Each structure stands twice: as C-alpha cells, then as structure tokens.
Amino acid sequence: MKKYILTTLLSLMWITLALASSSAFEEALLKQIQEKNKIKTSEDAQSVINGFMRIASANEAEWLPLYYAALTQTETAFRFDVNKDQYFDQAIEITKQAAKISPSNSDITALHGYILMGKVSVDPGSRGQSLSPQVMELFGKAIAQDRSNPRAVSLMAQMESGMSKFFGSGPDKACGMARMSLELYQNEEAKISETYILPTWGKNQMVELMKNCN
C-alpha cells in the first residue's frame, strides 16, 4: 500500500512539474510573439530572432520557437535593407531544424516554400526557372499535409499571382485560391484566443490580393 501511495505521489509530482514547464514555455513564447509584432527595425528583428532561439535552446522538443525564428528571419529579409540571401539561407537552416522535431508539419513545409519564394524575389530572372518548381512543390506538399491550413493555400495563391503577372496570364487561379484561403482563415479564427501560440499570419496578404480580383 505504501509503495502504491509513493508511486502515485511521484506520478503527481512529475505531472505537476511537466505542467509548470509547459506553462512557462507557452508564456515565454507568447511574450516573444508579442515582441515580434512590435518590430520596427532590422535591429529589433534580430533581437526577437535571438529571443526565439534562446527559447528553442531551452525547449529542444518544441518546434514553434524555431518556426518563429525562421519566420522572423524571412520577414526581416522582405521588409528591411539587409543581406537578403544570408537571412533567407539562415531561415532555411532553422526551418530544417524545426522539421526534424515535427516532421510532416504543414506550417513548417509552407514556411520552407515561403523562404524559397523570397530567394526567387531577390533575382527572379536567374532563379525563377530553377527555384519556382521547388516552391510550388513545397506549397502543394503543405496543402496535402493539412488541407485546413490557410497559410499553405494563401502562399500558393501568392506564388500563382506572381507567376500570372510574370507570364501575362489571368489571375483566376490565384484569386480562386485566395478566396479558399480566406475561408480557411475564418475557420481558424474561431480557435484563436489571447494565449494562442500557433501560427495565424497571412490573412492580410490575401485581403490585399483579393483587391485585384473581380
């Protein structure tokens, strides 16, 4: 009986410690996400990236800190006057680390495609032919991994929009995917709370894209 009570107490202790650790991780990550939303300069961005990487180092089984670090790297390359290729390449390496922790993760796969799309944007003339098929393959894979993921569909829509402008084709396919993604974003919004730490970004880009649709 004593052995049973001791075992039960030890189990409860480990559960309590695990819950406390999980709560601390989520609080730290949420705080860093809030800092990410305040970024105004590339220096701010680098500080936020470093913060996500510190959280990742302390929580090696969690994919989200790495994901947000890579996403911030990518957004920094798009937004600011930095060495874009360097930022995109670093983002790819961080994304690969996240994928090792969470294989077949639609958001990680979609982010990888987004980063490659950024590399195409640096030099479309010389990179478009070689990288664009890889980008589309990654977006298609992300959609297959989770058809309810709005970012996978919205990023595909952005790529389709860019390709239609480059080749002079119509926007119908991109617009159709944008509409689909907005429906998925609406479904996702029902799950979001103030303490939600999973990815939610991308809707604003689709709202803008839809302005060019009939």
Side-chain angles (χ1 to χ4, degrees):
M1 183 66 177
K2 290 181 179 178
K3 184 178 180 181
Y4 172 78
I5 293 172
L6 179 60
T7 301
T8 302
L9 287 172
L10 287 171
S11 297
L12 289 171
M13 182 182 71
W14 282 112
I15 291 170
T16 301
L17 288 171
L19 288 172
S21 176
S22 174
S23 176
F25 162 72
E26 291 178 3
E27 287 178 12
L29 186 61
L30 182 61
K31 182 178 179 181
Q32 200 62 21
I33 292 170
Q34 291 168 346
E35 290 300 311
K36 175 182 176 298
N37 295 334
K38 300 175 186 175
I39 290 173
K40 293 182 179 178
T41 67
S42 59
E43 289 77 17
D44 293 342
Q46 190 58 57
S47 177
V48 169
I49 292 164
N50 293 341
F52 281 127
M53 293 304 291
R54 284 193 293 271
I55 296 172
S57 296
N59 299 271
E60 295 181 353
E62 299 286 351
W63 65 274
L64 277 168
L66 292 168
Y67 174 90
Y68 281 115
L71 176 61
T72 309
Q73 285 265 168
T74 305
E75 292 175 342
T76 302
F78 276 115
R79 287 179 62 186
F80 301 112
D81 182 18
V82 295
N83 185 329
K84 297 183 183 300
D85 271 327
Q86 180 180 332
Y87 270 75
F88 287 134
D89 289 341
Q90 289 173 350
I92 288 173
E93 291 307 310
I94 298 171
T95 301
K96 288 178 178 178
Q97 293 177 44
K100 288 180 181 178
I101 297 170
S102 182
S104 303
N105 185 307
S106 177
D107 265 310
I108 295 174
T109 304
L111 177 57
H112 191 172
Y114 185 37
I115 299 165
L116 285 184
M117 190 165 72
K119 286 188 70 67
V120 172
S121 72
V122 174
D123 189 353
S126 64
R127 297 179 180 179
Q129 187 172 0
S130 61
L131 288 183
S132 292
Q134 295 179 47
V135 174
M136 296 299 281
E137 181 181 356
L138 284 165
F139 292 156
K141 182 179 178 182
I143 292 170
Q145 287 170 336
D146 183 1
R147 295 188 179 278
S148 67
N149 180 359
R151 279 156 298 286
V153 180
S154 68
L155 287 167
M156 177 78 88
Q158 287 185 54
M159 190 65 180
E160 288 286 357
S161 177
M163 290 173 64
S164 69
K165 291 175 183 176
F166 184 80
F167 292 110
S169 56
D172 291 352
K173 190 171 183 180
C175 291
M177 298 200 76
R179 291 188 188 94
M180 187 189 306
S181 74
L182 287 173
E183 291 177 6
L184 295 175
Y185 278 115
Q186 186 174 1
N187 294 338
E188 184 178 73
E189 284 170 358
K191 308 172 188 176
I192 297 173
S193 65
E194 290 183 357
T195 57
Y196 195 80
I197 58 174
L198 292 173
T200 60
W201 60 277
K203 182 179 178 180
N204 289 341
Q205 291 93 323
M206 288 301 94
V207 172
E208 287 300 311
L209 194 155
M210 284 299 296
K211 290 178 181 178
N212 298 319
C213 301
N214 295 327

